[in-house]
Amino acid sequence: MKYYLCVAVLLMWAPPATAAYLLGVAAPHDSMSGEYLPTELFRLAVDGSSYQSLGQLQDGGVGGDYDAIAASPTYGIRAFSGGTGGGSRLVRVDEQSATATVLSPPLFGREIRGAAFDDNERLWAVDVLSDELVEFSPQTGIELQSVGLSLDGSNFDMVRAVDLAVDFSGQVLLVHGTAVFDVDISTGALTERFSDTQNEASTGSPPLLAGAVIGFNGAESLIGLDVAGGAEDDFYAYDLENSFQRTLLLGSQSAIDFEVGDLTLVEEPVSTGDYNSDGVVNLADYTVWRNSLGSTTNLAANGDDSGTSMNVIDEADYLVWKNNFGAVAAIKATSLAVPEPNAYSLVLLGFAVITLRRIW
């Protein structure tokens, strides 16, 4: 009896197993056609090291211009076809096969070049044609709301070297070339947090960040893809806890001169079936599945998002829960922070301590 109670307490206090990595896209520019050439999909460690090319991102065997990649524990990996001059589309990315599946009709008049999920798993993106911040449905690509971006009361004119990121506090950031801004998602107002004025030795100019994500390089860091150096496209870390101190993580990993790109943080769950994200696969997760069976909008219990089970809660999701029942599961890894015990856990712990004292 003592043994089982101790195990219960340890399971309750043990930090859930989490793993995360960075996923990115980048594309060169064809000066003759004015188009961006087939996009490369790549993977990095969460500290911005260990570059691994996953090949060209393709739809139906054909490469294309993809940007604005973003990842969510609920919705998976999303990106936008570049749509130079307008006509971006929301796509679902399968990194294992490096394929993109179109989810939305063309977004006429919009060229999406940066995106991120916020802490509430809302998908935000930036349109470089209208200079707007736009919220999209991560399932259908339908536009939900938009607001013009402004700096010091004036309209903010964006270039294609732009991205969105969300820091550990939940603040949405706009990374635009050499500057980083806090974004008020209600008004579109920008507040400059930092501007990099330190020149690179190879280029004589500061890095031009086309893609960025919050990662961890000994401290909370902004990991950025620099496209300013011709074929020398580097990865840098900016220490958010130490005045944005810049560190070179990786030199050029490709002979290709990338012009646009994006980065996102992807959760790699240790086990699946934890549908209420409490860190354990148990009967409470079955209740979540049962109560959402057949749903195409509430996808918290969408453990199997492949084939006919894509974007719907069905029997396949039940099997995922059943096969992982009892496992200590991974939870949202976007903050990379050790969670504090909730009130319910504290009550259970107190009960367990009292019970142990009576037994001993």
Side-chain angles (χ1 to χ4, degrees):
M1 185 63 164
K2 298 177 186 178
Y3 172 79
Y4 290 119
L5 282 171
C6 289
V7 169
V9 172
L10 287 173
L11 281 175
M12 188 164 51
W13 276 98
T18 59
Y21 57 92
L22 306 183
L23 197 66
V25 289
H29 185 255
D30 183 353
S31 58
M32 295 294 292
S33 67
E35 298 292 328
Y36 290 93
L37 300 177
T39 297
E40 178 180 333
L41 183 68
F42 58 86
R43 177 172 172 162
L44 300 168
V46 75
D47 62 357
S49 64
S50 305
Y51 181 96
Q52 177 188 2
S53 175
L54 302 176
Q56 287 186 0
L57 186 57
Q58 299 184 341
D59 176 13
V62 179
D65 170 18
Y66 297 96
D67 205 342
I69 194 168
S72 149
T74 298
Y75 300 106
I77 304 167
R78 298 291 188 262
F80 288 83
S81 61
T84 303
S88 289
R89 294 172 182 255
L90 180 68
V91 301
R92 177 179 180 271
V93 176
D94 183 341
E95 66 171 296
Q96 301 301 321
S97 59
T99 56
T101 303
V102 175
L103 299 178
S104 76
L107 304 168
F108 293 113
R110 293 210 180 276
E111 182 180 342
I112 305 300
R113 289 295 173 186
F117 281 96
D118 67 14
D119 282 356
N120 295 314
E121 297 197 87
R122 293 181 296 178
L123 178 60
W124 295 97
V126 283
D127 171 22
V128 299
L129 296 183
S130 65
D131 300 320
E132 290 183 329
L133 177 71
V134 188
E135 182 186 0
F136 290 100
S137 163
Q139 296 174 271
T140 64
I142 293 174
E143 183 177 322
L144 302 178
Q145 61 175 312
S146 64
V147 62
L149 293 173
S150 63
L151 179 64
D152 298 329
S154 299
N155 292 339
F156 186 75
D157 186 18
M158 283 188 288
V159 298
R160 290 189 174 100
V162 64
D163 199 5
L164 292 175
V166 180
D167 70 15
F168 287 1
S169 72
Q171 174 64 52
V172 176
L173 306 176
L174 177 76
V175 181
H176 187 262
T178 60
V180 179
F181 303 88
D182 289 343
V183 183
D184 185 326
I185 60 175
S186 298
T187 66
L190 303 176
T191 304
E192 185 175 297
R193 184 186 290 196
F194 171 77
S195 182
D196 189 353
T197 59
Q198 180 182 352
N199 293 338
E200 296 181 280
S202 60
T203 65
S205 61
L208 184 68
L209 301 183
V213 66
I214 300 300
F216 195 82
N217 185 45
E220 181 182 6
S221 302
L222 181 79
I223 310 295
L225 167 62
D226 164 37
V227 297
E232 297 181 4
D233 297 322
D234 303 318
F235 291 91
Y236 285 100
Y238 292 84
D239 188 344
L240 271 64
E241 300 174 15
N242 187 20
S243 303
F244 280 81
Q245 180 176 330
R246 189 179 83 200
T247 303
L248 177 64
L249 298 176
L250 283 173
S252 177
Q253 298 296 303
S254 173
I256 300 173
D257 178 14
F258 294 125
E259 292 289 333
V260 293
D262 204 353
L263 297 171
T264 190
L265 181 72
V266 179
E267 174 188 8
E268 189 174 48
V270 174
S271 62
T272 53
D274 179 24
Y275 296 147
N276 64 355
S277 300
D278 67 351
V280 181
V281 182
N282 54 22
L283 289 176
D285 302 300
Y286 169 80
T287 301
V288 174
W289 171 83
R290 182 194 63 202
N291 292 344
S292 59
L293 181 61
S295 177
T296 58
T297 56
N298 178 5
L299 298 178
N302 193 25
D304 185 341
D305 194 33
S306 63
T308 58
S309 186
M310 185 183 300
N311 291 330
V312 64
I313 307 303
D314 58 11
E315 190 73 16
D317 305 309
Y318 164 78
L319 292 177
V320 170
W321 168 81
K322 177 182 177 182
N323 293 336
N324 289 281
F325 184 78
V328 177
I331 62 171
K332 186 176 180 181
T334 51
S335 68
L336 299 178
V338 177
E340 303 228 354
N342 57 31
Y344 180 65
S345 296
L346 291 174
V347 171
L348 289 178
L349 178 64
F351 176 76
V353 170
I354 294 172
T355 304
L356 286 171
R357 284 178 176 174
R358 288 179 177 175
I359 293 174
W360 288 340

